[in-house]
Amino acid sequence: VAFKIVWLEIHCNRWIARRISAVSSEEDRAYVFDESYYVLKRLARGEYMDMFVGEFGRSDSITFISRYLEDFDNLETAMLYPLLQLAGSNYKVIFDTLTKSVAKNPGLNKNALFVLQNISTWCFEIDRDSWASLFDKIAELPEITVSDFRIVSKLQNMAWQKAKSNNKKEKEAFQTAIYDENIAADLFHCYDTLVDIVTEVSLGKTDTMLHVVMATCYALKKYMPSQEEMVQFVSDLERL
């Protein structure tokens, strides 16, 4: 194989790097992508494709990706992984492609199955209702196999569990925010002067330094004590 010759390998590395950096049109980009994919497919070497994804994965690649996904059902499955990498967070182009494929096929073809198994579950969180609807349509395909149905059911369950976990975290965060707001309101309305805080501490109603600091901050928002009052306040707390 030619790429096993060291000098030629070095030359090819430099050539592909120059071509990638010199891309100025969609045609140039497609040419470099096709060359990188050829090396990946024929020689099982992914460094050129990695270079390509590293260069263009950060940019808007929807138009470029769509060009290859037009014939999604007949596309070589091996090409889908780099396309998924290029799509990144632009999940909609993948979702729309899957939707079209499911709508016109009686079963789940190998490309649709590959995408479902390799797409990040993060995408399911962006638009839960749309993905749930798509999963339902896949499950109702007249010629879906038992093994494919199990895979889809597993993915659907993973998405549901993730959504359930995220909802729980959101609920806890919301409850914590309300709790914090209630504490703030209590502190603001309960202490009019620094003397009130000293009284609460002496009676054992305030037993944490954090509570004392927060109460002091809210008391200072309501009025500005004199230097003598501040000195007395610190002295009283030290004695307690």
Side-chain angles (χ1 to χ4, degrees):
V1 178
F3 278 83
K4 288 185 178 180
I5 301 175
V6 176
W7 67 267
L8 185 57
E9 182 177 345
I10 295 173
H11 175 76
C12 290
N13 278 331
R14 292 173 178 172
W15 178 84
I16 197 72
R18 286 197 302 269
R19 289 303 302 257
I20 288 174
S21 62
V23 166
S24 59
S25 66
E26 287 298 300
E27 288 70 24
D28 288 344
R29 194 193 307 201
Y31 176 78
V32 178
F33 179 81
D34 292 340
E35 290 297 307
S36 300
Y37 176 68
Y38 178 82
V39 175
L40 175 65
K41 176 185 175 182
R42 295 296 299 272
L43 305 177
R45 299 192 58 166
E47 57 263 41
Y48 301 144
M49 185 59 75
D50 290 341
M51 290 170 62
F52 184 90
V53 172
E55 178 68 23
F56 298 108
R58 299 184 298 273
S59 59
D60 185 357
S61 300
I62 294 179
T63 302
F64 177 77
I65 296 169
S66 299
R67 174 177 180 172
Y68 286 89
L69 294 180
E70 286 180 358
D71 192 22
F72 174 75
D73 292 339
N74 298 314
L75 194 67
E76 292 184 0
T77 304
M79 187 179 281
L80 287 171
Y81 190 73
L83 290 175
L84 286 176
Q85 289 181 300
L86 287 170
S89 60
N90 296 315
Y91 79 95
K92 195 173 185 306
V93 65
I94 304 298
F95 176 82
D96 291 343
T97 300
L98 280 174
T99 302
K100 292 176 183 177
S101 177
V102 170
K104 65 182 181 181
N105 287 295
L108 198 62
N109 64 44
K110 61 179 182 178
N111 284 350
L113 186 61
F114 178 88
V115 169
L116 286 171
Q117 289 180 299
N118 287 276
I119 196 170
S120 172
T121 54
W122 169 84
C123 295
F124 301 150
E125 291 302 294
I126 304 300
D127 192 349
R128 299 172 189 172
D129 292 339
S130 295
W131 281 101
S133 176
L134 179 59
F135 281 136
D136 289 341
K137 291 177 181 177
I138 292 173
E140 294 171 358
L141 290 173
E143 295 182 15
I144 188 170
T145 65
V146 174
S147 60
D148 288 351
F149 181 80
R150 287 175 178 171
I151 291 173
V152 173
S153 296
K154 183 178 180 180
L155 288 170
Q156 191 170 18
N157 185 58
M158 286 172 57
W160 183 83
Q161 291 293 341
K162 190 174 179 64
K164 183 178 179 182
S165 174
N166 287 345
N167 286 338
K168 181 179 179 181
K169 291 177 181 177
E170 291 171 3
K171 183 178 180 181
E172 290 174 349
F174 178 70
Q175 291 175 333
T176 300
I178 293 177
Y179 178 70
D180 290 342
E181 287 182 5
N182 290 339
I183 289 179
D186 290 342
L187 290 172
F188 185 80
H189 294 294
C190 290
Y191 306 107
D192 292 321
T193 67
L194 297 177
V195 175
D196 293 336
I197 298 174
V198 173
T199 301
E200 291 289 299
V201 175
S202 65
L203 294 175
K205 295 182 179 180
T206 302
D207 57 0
T208 67
M209 182 55 67
L210 176 61
H211 196 89
V212 172
V213 171
M214 292 178 67
T216 303
C217 290
Y218 282 98
L220 293 177
K221 281 185 177 181
K222 303 179 78 169
Y223 84 107
M224 181 57 67
S226 65
Q227 183 178 355
E228 290 76 14
E229 288 178 295
M230 287 297 299
V231 172
Q232 185 63 48
F233 173 66
V234 174
S235 177
D236 291 340
L237 287 180
E238 288 177 342
R239 281 189 277 104
L240 294 174

